[in-house]
Amino acid sequence: MSERWDPNAAGVLRLPSGRLVRGRGLRRPLPPGQRPTYAVHLLGKPPADVPWESRWLRWPDFRLPSDPGEAREVLGEAWQRAGEDRVEVACGGGRGRTGTALACLAVLDGVPAAEAVAYVRRHYDRHAVETPWQKRYVRRFGS
């Protein structure tokens, strides 16, 4: 088991179960302090290599995941690992795709799908989940 995230660190979302997940934008420098032990990169093209375990989920900017079944699998694994590992979810800017994925993790954690976007906006970034179809994706993720 690795040391978990500092719950007060920038970008760290505490889910109702106590799981901690860091969201961030890959266009910004890596924050100082703890590094992830596992990351999910939500990008339209393969990400740069990182020195920790990571998984790429093809997810073009302002869109939805290219493969919804794979997205459910990858996000399920991220949620599971967040119980013990320092999991990071990241896209280019850290708001739209990252916020959508964090809202899906909140659904997996027991937040009702209809409330998950508001939860992430309240506890992560008030601008998270940028498009109407991303909001709809989160609502449908719960079914």
Side-chain angles (χ1 to χ4, degrees), residues 36-62:
T37 55
Y38 180 73
V40 176
H41 295 139
L42 314 165
L43 299 167
K45 61 183 182 176
D49 287 335
V50 290
W52 48 84
E53 187 180 355
S54 66
R55 185 136 181 215
W56 169 46
L57 180 60
R58 184 185 298 273
W59 191 330
D61 202 7
F62 295 105

Short mmCIF file of all heavy atoms in Angstrom, two decimals, residues 36-62:
data_model
loop_
_atom_site.label_atom_id
_atom_site.label_comp_id
_atom_site.label_asym_id
_atom_site.label_seq_id
_atom_site.Cartn_x
_atom_site.Cartn_y
_atom_site.Cartn_z
N PRO A 36 1.70 10.86 -8.38
CA PRO A 36 0.74 9.75 -8.44
C PRO A 36 1.46 8.40 -8.47
O PRO A 36 2.63 8.31 -8.87
CB PRO A 36 0.00 9.98 -9.76
CG PRO A 36 0.69 11.08 -10.45
CD PRO A 36 1.72 11.67 -9.56
N THR A 37 0.75 7.38 -8.05
CA THR A 37 1.24 6.01 -8.24
C THR A 37 0.51 5.37 -9.42
O THR A 37 0.95 4.37 -9.96
CB THR A 37 1.05 5.16 -6.98
OG1 THR A 37 -0.32 5.19 -6.59
CG2 THR A 37 1.93 5.67 -5.85
N TYR A 38 -0.61 5.99 -9.82
CA TYR A 38 -1.40 5.50 -10.95
C TYR A 38 -2.13 6.70 -11.54
O TYR A 38 -2.68 7.51 -10.81
CB TYR A 38 -2.41 4.44 -10.50
CG TYR A 38 -3.26 3.89 -11.61
CD1 TYR A 38 -2.73 3.02 -12.55
CD2 TYR A 38 -4.59 4.25 -11.73
CE1 TYR A 38 -3.51 2.51 -13.58
CE2 TYR A 38 -5.38 3.75 -12.75
CZ TYR A 38 -4.83 2.88 -13.67
OH TYR A 38 -5.60 2.38 -14.69
N ALA A 39 -2.12 6.81 -12.87
CA ALA A 39 -2.80 7.93 -13.51
C ALA A 39 -3.64 7.44 -14.68
O ALA A 39 -3.30 6.46 -15.35
CB ALA A 39 -1.78 8.95 -14.02
N VAL A 40 -4.73 8.15 -14.92
CA VAL A 40 -5.56 7.95 -16.09
C VAL A 40 -5.49 9.24 -16.90
O VAL A 40 -5.85 10.31 -16.40
CB VAL A 40 -7.03 7.63 -15.72
CG1 VAL A 40 -7.89 7.52 -16.97
CG2 VAL A 40 -7.10 6.36 -14.89
N HIS A 41 -4.99 9.13 -18.13
CA HIS A 41 -4.87 10.29 -19.02
C HIS A 41 -6.00 10.26 -20.04
O HIS A 41 -6.13 9.29 -20.79
CB HIS A 41 -3.50 10.28 -19.71
CG HIS A 41 -2.38 10.45 -18.76
ND1 HIS A 41 -1.20 9.74 -18.85
CD2 HIS A 41 -2.24 11.26 -17.68
CE1 HIS A 41 -0.40 10.11 -17.87
NE2 HIS A 41 -1.01 11.02 -17.15
N LEU A 42 -6.78 11.32 -20.06
CA LEU A 42 -7.95 11.44 -20.91
C LEU A 42 -7.61 12.38 -22.06
O LEU A 42 -7.78 13.59 -21.95
CB LEU A 42 -9.12 12.01 -20.09
CG LEU A 42 -9.33 11.37 -18.70
CD1 LEU A 42 -10.24 12.22 -17.85
CD2 LEU A 42 -9.86 9.96 -18.85
N LEU A 43 -7.11 11.82 -23.14
CA LEU A 43 -6.60 12.63 -24.25
C LEU A 43 -7.01 12.02 -25.58
O LEU A 43 -7.25 10.82 -25.68
CB LEU A 43 -5.08 12.72 -24.19
CG LEU A 43 -4.48 13.36 -22.93
CD1 LEU A 43 -2.99 13.10 -22.86
CD2 LEU A 43 -4.79 14.85 -22.91
N GLY A 44 -7.04 12.86 -26.62
CA GLY A 44 -7.35 12.39 -27.96
C GLY A 44 -6.22 11.64 -28.62
O GLY A 44 -6.43 10.91 -29.58
N LYS A 45 -5.00 11.84 -28.12
CA LYS A 45 -3.83 11.14 -28.67
C LYS A 45 -3.01 10.59 -27.52
O LYS A 45 -3.15 11.04 -26.38
CB LYS A 45 -3.00 12.07 -29.55
CG LYS A 45 -2.45 13.27 -28.83
CD LYS A 45 -1.71 14.19 -29.76
CE LYS A 45 -1.14 15.36 -28.97
NZ LYS A 45 -0.34 16.24 -29.77
N PRO A 46 -2.12 9.63 -27.78
CA PRO A 46 -1.34 9.05 -26.69
C PRO A 46 -0.55 10.11 -25.92
O PRO A 46 0.03 11.02 -26.51
CB PRO A 46 -0.39 8.08 -27.41
CG PRO A 46 -1.07 7.74 -28.69
CD PRO A 46 -1.82 9.00 -29.08
N PRO A 47 -0.53 9.99 -24.58
CA PRO A 47 0.20 10.96 -23.76
C PRO A 47 1.69 10.69 -23.74
O PRO A 47 2.15 9.62 -24.15
CB PRO A 47 -0.40 10.73 -22.37
CG PRO A 47 -0.78 9.29 -22.37
CD PRO A 47 -1.23 8.98 -23.79
N ALA A 48 2.41 11.65 -23.23
CA ALA A 48 3.85 11.46 -22.99
C ALA A 48 4.03 10.42 -21.90
O ALA A 48 3.15 10.23 -21.05
CB ALA A 48 4.47 12.79 -22.56
N ASP A 49 5.17 9.76 -21.91
CA ASP A 49 5.47 8.78 -20.87
C ASP A 49 5.65 9.48 -19.53
O ASP A 49 6.12 10.62 -19.46
CB ASP A 49 6.77 8.04 -21.21
CG ASP A 49 6.59 7.05 -22.35
OD1 ASP A 49 5.44 6.59 -22.58
OD2 ASP A 49 7.58 6.74 -23.02
N VAL A 50 5.25 8.78 -18.48
CA VAL A 50 5.43 9.27 -17.11
C VAL A 50 6.11 8.16 -16.30
O VAL A 50 6.03 6.99 -16.67
CB VAL A 50 4.08 9.66 -16.45
CG1 VAL A 50 3.50 10.91 -17.09
CG2 VAL A 50 3.09 8.51 -16.50
N PRO A 51 6.81 8.52 -15.21
CA PRO A 51 7.55 7.52 -14.45
C PRO A 51 6.69 6.71 -13.46
O PRO A 51 7.22 6.06 -12.58
CB PRO A 51 8.61 8.34 -13.72
CG PRO A 51 8.02 9.70 -13.60
CD PRO A 51 7.14 9.88 -14.81
N TRP A 52 5.38 6.78 -13.55
CA TRP A 52 4.49 5.99 -12.72
C TRP A 52 3.53 5.24 -13.64
O TRP A 52 3.43 5.53 -14.82
CB TRP A 52 3.72 6.87 -11.72
CG TRP A 52 3.11 8.08 -12.34
CD1 TRP A 52 1.90 8.16 -12.98
CD2 TRP A 52 3.66 9.39 -12.39
NE1 TRP A 52 1.68 9.43 -13.44
CE2 TRP A 52 2.75 10.21 -13.08
CE3 TRP A 52 4.85 9.96 -11.91
CZ2 TRP A 52 2.97 11.56 -13.32
CZ3 TRP A 52 5.06 11.30 -12.15
CH2 TRP A 52 4.13 12.09 -12.84
N GLU A 53 2.85 4.27 -13.08
CA GLU A 53 1.91 3.48 -13.87
C GLU A 53 0.79 4.38 -14.37
O GLU A 53 0.27 5.22 -13.62
CB GLU A 53 1.35 2.35 -13.01
CG GLU A 53 0.50 1.38 -13.78
CD GLU A 53 -0.05 0.26 -12.90
OE1 GLU A 53 0.30 0.18 -11.71
OE2 GLU A 53 -0.83 -0.53 -13.45
N SER A 54 0.42 4.22 -15.63
CA SER A 54 -0.64 5.06 -16.18
C SER A 54 -1.42 4.30 -17.25
O SER A 54 -0.95 3.29 -17.77
CB SER A 54 -0.07 6.36 -16.76
OG SER A 54 0.73 6.07 -17.88
N ARG A 55 -2.57 4.83 -17.54
CA ARG A 55 -3.42 4.25 -18.58
C ARG A 55 -3.98 5.40 -19.40
O ARG A 55 -4.39 6.42 -18.86
CB ARG A 55 -4.54 3.45 -17.92
CG ARG A 55 -5.40 2.72 -18.89
CD ARG A 55 -5.68 1.33 -18.43
NE ARG A 55 -6.51 0.66 -19.42
CZ ARG A 55 -7.43 -0.21 -19.13
NH1 ARG A 55 -7.66 -0.54 -17.87
NH2 ARG A 55 -8.13 -0.78 -20.08
N TRP A 56 -3.99 5.21 -20.71
CA TRP A 56 -4.53 6.21 -21.62
C TRP A 56 -5.94 5.80 -22.02
O TRP A 56 -6.18 4.67 -22.44
CB TRP A 56 -3.65 6.33 -22.85
CG TRP A 56 -4.23 7.14 -23.98
CD1 TRP A 56 -4.84 8.36 -23.88
CD2 TRP A 56 -4.26 6.80 -25.36
NE1 TRP A 56 -5.23 8.80 -25.12
CE2 TRP A 56 -4.89 7.85 -26.05
CE3 TRP A 56 -3.80 5.69 -26.09
CZ2 TRP A 56 -5.08 7.84 -27.43
CZ3 TRP A 56 -3.98 5.69 -27.46
CH2 TRP A 56 -4.62 6.75 -28.12
N LEU A 57 -6.87 6.74 -21.89
CA LEU A 57 -8.23 6.55 -22.35
C LEU A 57 -8.45 7.58 -23.46
O LEU A 57 -8.38 8.78 -23.21
CB LEU A 57 -9.22 6.76 -21.20
CG LEU A 57 -10.70 6.59 -21.52
CD1 LEU A 57 -11.00 5.18 -22.03
CD2 LEU A 57 -11.53 6.88 -20.28
N ARG A 58 -8.70 7.09 -24.66
CA ARG A 58 -8.90 8.02 -25.79
C ARG A 58 -10.18 8.80 -25.55
O ARG A 58 -11.28 8.24 -25.50
CB ARG A 58 -8.98 7.26 -27.12
CG ARG A 58 -9.10 8.21 -28.32
CD ARG A 58 -9.31 7.45 -29.62
NE ARG A 58 -8.20 6.57 -29.93
CZ ARG A 58 -7.10 6.93 -30.59
NH1 ARG A 58 -6.95 8.18 -31.00
NH2 ARG A 58 -6.15 6.06 -30.84
N TRP A 59 -10.00 10.13 -25.40
CA TRP A 59 -11.12 11.00 -25.07
C TRP A 59 -10.79 12.38 -25.63
O TRP A 59 -10.13 13.20 -24.98
CB TRP A 59 -11.28 11.05 -23.56
CG TRP A 59 -12.53 11.68 -23.04
CD1 TRP A 59 -13.26 12.67 -23.59
CD2 TRP A 59 -13.18 11.35 -21.80
NE1 TRP A 59 -14.33 12.99 -22.80
CE2 TRP A 59 -14.30 12.19 -21.69
CE3 TRP A 59 -12.91 10.44 -20.78
CZ2 TRP A 59 -15.16 12.14 -20.59
CZ3 TRP A 59 -13.76 10.40 -19.70
CH2 TRP A 59 -14.87 11.23 -19.60
N PRO A 60 -11.23 12.68 -26.86
CA PRO A 60 -10.92 13.98 -27.48
C PRO A 60 -11.48 15.16 -26.67
O PRO A 60 -12.51 15.04 -26.01
CB PRO A 60 -11.58 13.88 -28.85
CG PRO A 60 -11.75 12.41 -29.10
CD PRO A 60 -11.98 11.80 -27.74
N ASP A 61 -10.80 16.27 -26.76
CA ASP A 61 -11.17 17.49 -26.04
C ASP A 61 -12.61 17.90 -26.36
O ASP A 61 -13.03 17.86 -27.52
CB ASP A 61 -10.20 18.62 -26.42
CG ASP A 61 -10.16 19.72 -25.39
OD1 ASP A 61 -10.78 19.58 -24.31
OD2 ASP A 61 -9.48 20.74 -25.65
N PHE A 62 -13.36 18.28 -25.34
CA PHE A 62 -14.75 18.71 -25.40
C PHE A 62 -15.71 17.61 -25.86
O PHE A 62 -16.86 17.88 -26.17
CB PHE A 62 -14.93 19.95 -26.31
CG PHE A 62 -14.24 21.16 -25.76
CD1 PHE A 62 -13.06 21.60 -26.33
CD2 PHE A 62 -14.75 21.85 -24.68
CE1 PHE A 62 -12.41 22.71 -25.83
CE2 PHE A 62 -14.10 22.96 -24.16
CZ PHE A 62 -12.93 23.39 -24.74
#
